[in-house]
């Protein structure tokens, strides 16, 4: 085309993608999967494993080995066996498929119908809306994976702590306890992406009427950006083109965000998409360091809220 050879002429267009690394062909090399929220479409690419180079081969035959994915997906190894498992949306929250591959890629659903967390005295679903994107990481540093997600009406981040290591001495269980309704002590605006630091509210005092604004549509990326041993956070919002990064000045057990910047990842090249950036960290060029990928996540939202304000044109 115009004198150039297209690398993936038959892969189709990509609109609103999420990325993950996983060994597709059992050769010990992490390959690439791309999940397009626009149509819940999965594309699979084999990594040619050339050091320092982004080089992939489109291999669509591996896509049929995955279970159906809906709205969002994250590939993380929750049980510590070196194989990425699948966390994806289901009505009411999060569905998990454990990677049980040997010589062939294979998955088994291990949450029925969704992940739950002990919230007070009741086991309740860990709510993640179809328009949100949670952070799944070892927040407290004990070896198992925890979950950060915005409260159902937005503004505050809930911290669901995985108790697998505490109860069984291994990371292979998914038993959560709601540890905080206001992780990081910050709030996102109910009508904007403005962040207010050093604030929390009593949820017993929150009484929203039917006509009050309810903010949903946010993405989270938890990572130790400052290198001090505690997780910071990057937040994307449905109506805005950039990411806001919050620096954690607290501890692993008690997060406390002390500063913020919209010039992320740096002032020279800040993220600036049409709207609703999601983000993930994977090594795409085989140099051993994770790279930051930031696609737009607009379309799944636009299908249900076709407004110019949301970037749906």
């Amino acid at each position: 085309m115009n004198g150039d050879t297209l690398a993936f002429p038959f892969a189709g267009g990509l609109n609103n993608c999420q990325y993950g690394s996983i060994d597709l062909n059992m050769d010990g090399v992490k390959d690439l999967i791309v999940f397009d929220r626009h149509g819940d479409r999965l594309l699979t690419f084999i990594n040619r494993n050339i050091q320092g180079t982004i080089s992939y081969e489109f291999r669509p035959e591996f896509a049929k080995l995955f279970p159906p994915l809906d709205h969002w997906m994250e590939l993380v190894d929750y049980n510590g066996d070196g194989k990425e498992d699948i966390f994806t949306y289901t009505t009411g929250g999060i569905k998990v498929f454990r990677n049980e591959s040997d010589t062939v890629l294979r998955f088994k659903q291990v949450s029925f119908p969704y992940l739950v967390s002990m919230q007070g005295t009741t086991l309740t679903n860990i709510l993640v809306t179809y328009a949100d994107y949670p952070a799944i990481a070892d927040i407290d540093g004990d070896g198992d994976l925890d979950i950060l997600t915005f409260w159902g009406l937005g503004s505050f981040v809930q911290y669901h702590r995985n108790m697998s290591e505490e109860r069984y001495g291994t990371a292979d269980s998914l038993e959560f306890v709601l540890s905080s309704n206001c992780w990081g002590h910050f709030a996102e605006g109910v009508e904007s992406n403005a962040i207010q630091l050093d604030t929390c509210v009593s949820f017993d005092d929150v009484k929203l009427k039917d006509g009050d604004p309810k903010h949903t549509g946010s993405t989270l990326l938890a990572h130790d950006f400052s290198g001090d041993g505690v997780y910071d956070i990057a937040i994307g919002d449905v109506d805005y083109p950039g990411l806001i990064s919050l620096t954690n000045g607290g501890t692993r057990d008690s997060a406390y965000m002390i500063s913020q910047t919209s010039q992320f990842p740096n002032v020279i090249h800040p993220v600036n998409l049409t709207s609703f950036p999601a983000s993930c960290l994977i090594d795409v060029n085989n140099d051993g360091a994770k790279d930051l990928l930031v696609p737009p996540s607009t379309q799944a939202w636009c299908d249900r809220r076709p407004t110019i304000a949301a970037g749906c044109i």
Side-chain angles (χ1 to χ4, degrees):
M1 176 178 287
N2 299 325
D4 289 332
T5 299
L6 300 179
F8 311 113
F10 305 112
L14 302 177
N15 295 315
N16 307 105
C17 296
Q18 299 160 6
Y19 301 89
S21 60
I22 190 171
D23 189 356
L24 294 172
N25 56 355
M26 305 298 116
D27 65 351
V29 176
K30 298 299 182 183
D31 305 301
L32 179 71
I33 75 166
V34 181
F35 174 65
D36 195 340
R37 294 187 74 168
H38 190 183
D40 293 333
R41 182 166 165 257
L42 190 69
L43 297 94
T44 49
F45 299 83
I46 293 296
N47 188 350
R48 290 178 176 152
N49 198 26
I50 303 173
Q51 188 173 7
T53 302
I54 301 174
S55 182
Y56 293 92
E57 176 186 348
F58 180 48
R59 295 284 296 276
E61 67 269 24
F62 288 99
K64 66 183 179 182
L65 302 178
F66 285 80
L69 305 179
D70 193 13
H71 292 299
W72 58 263
M73 71 93 195
E74 294 189 40
L75 295 183
V76 292
D77 176 16
Y78 82 83
N79 58 354
D81 63 357
K83 296 179 287 190
E84 286 75 17
D85 310 294
I86 301 172
F87 287 64
T88 188
Y89 172 80
T90 190
T91 302
I94 304 172
K95 180 165 51 177
V96 181
F97 295 89
R98 186 172 62 221
N99 188 337
E100 297 190 339
S101 306
D102 39 39
T103 58
V104 178
L105 201 63
R106 184 172 64 249
F107 298 93
K108 178 182 179 180
Q109 185 174 345
V110 293
S111 61
F112 302 94
Y114 39 59
L115 286 183
V116 296
S117 175
M118 183 61 71
Q119 302 181 40
T121 59
T122 306
L123 276 175
T124 306
N125 56 307
I126 300 175
L127 180 63
V128 179
T129 73
Y130 63 80
D132 289 326
Y133 194 75
I136 304 172
D138 184 9
I139 301 299
D140 57 1
D142 66 351
D144 52 28
L145 295 183
D146 312 298
I147 296 174
L148 299 177
T149 180
F150 270 97
W151 182 50
L153 298 179
S155 293
F156 301 95
V157 171
Q158 290 187 330
Y159 168 35
H160 296 271
R161 184 182 180 189
N162 193 344
M163 303 302 293
S164 181
E165 285 286 354
E166 287 82 357
R167 292 173 179 172
Y168 311 113
T170 66
D172 60 2
S173 296
L174 296 167
E175 298 188 9
F176 295 91
V177 172
L178 177 61
S179 183
S180 174
N181 265 321
C182 187
W183 182 84
H185 292 260
F186 71 92
E188 185 184 34
V190 294
E191 294 182 296
S192 74
N193 70 336
I195 299 294
Q196 182 178 350
L197 301 177
D198 192 26
T199 184
C200 283
V201 299
S202 168
F203 279 72
D204 293 335
D205 296 333
V206 174
K207 296 180 176 63
L208 292 180
K209 306 186 199 70
D210 289 341
D212 288 344
K214 301 173 180 62
H215 186 103
T216 56
S218 297
T219 66
L220 296 174
L221 173 64
H223 184 72
D224 182 10
F225 296 112
S226 56
D228 61 356
V230 294
Y231 275 91
D232 309 299
I233 200 87
I235 302 175
D237 185 272
V238 65
D239 293 328
Y240 297 88
L243 293 170
I244 294 179
S245 174
L246 306 182
T247 299
N248 188 352
T251 66
R252 288 180 174 178
D253 294 326
S254 182
Y256 210 102
M257 300 303 163
I258 58 174
S259 64
Q260 61 177 300
T261 178
S262 60
Q263 303 297 307
F264 182 81
N266 55 61
V267 297
I268 300 174
H269 298 294
V271 171
N272 186 17
L273 300 178
T274 301
S275 70
F276 204 10
S279 52
C280 67
L281 290 165
I282 60 175
D283 179 12
V284 294
N285 62 345
N286 301 296
D287 65 353
K290 289 188 176 181
D291 308 296
L292 177 66
L293 303 183
V294 190
S297 190
T298 303
Q299 185 61 45
W301 184 257
C302 292
D303 290 341
R304 297 158 178 81
R305 181 188 171 192
T307 65
I308 295 177
C312 314
I313 300 174

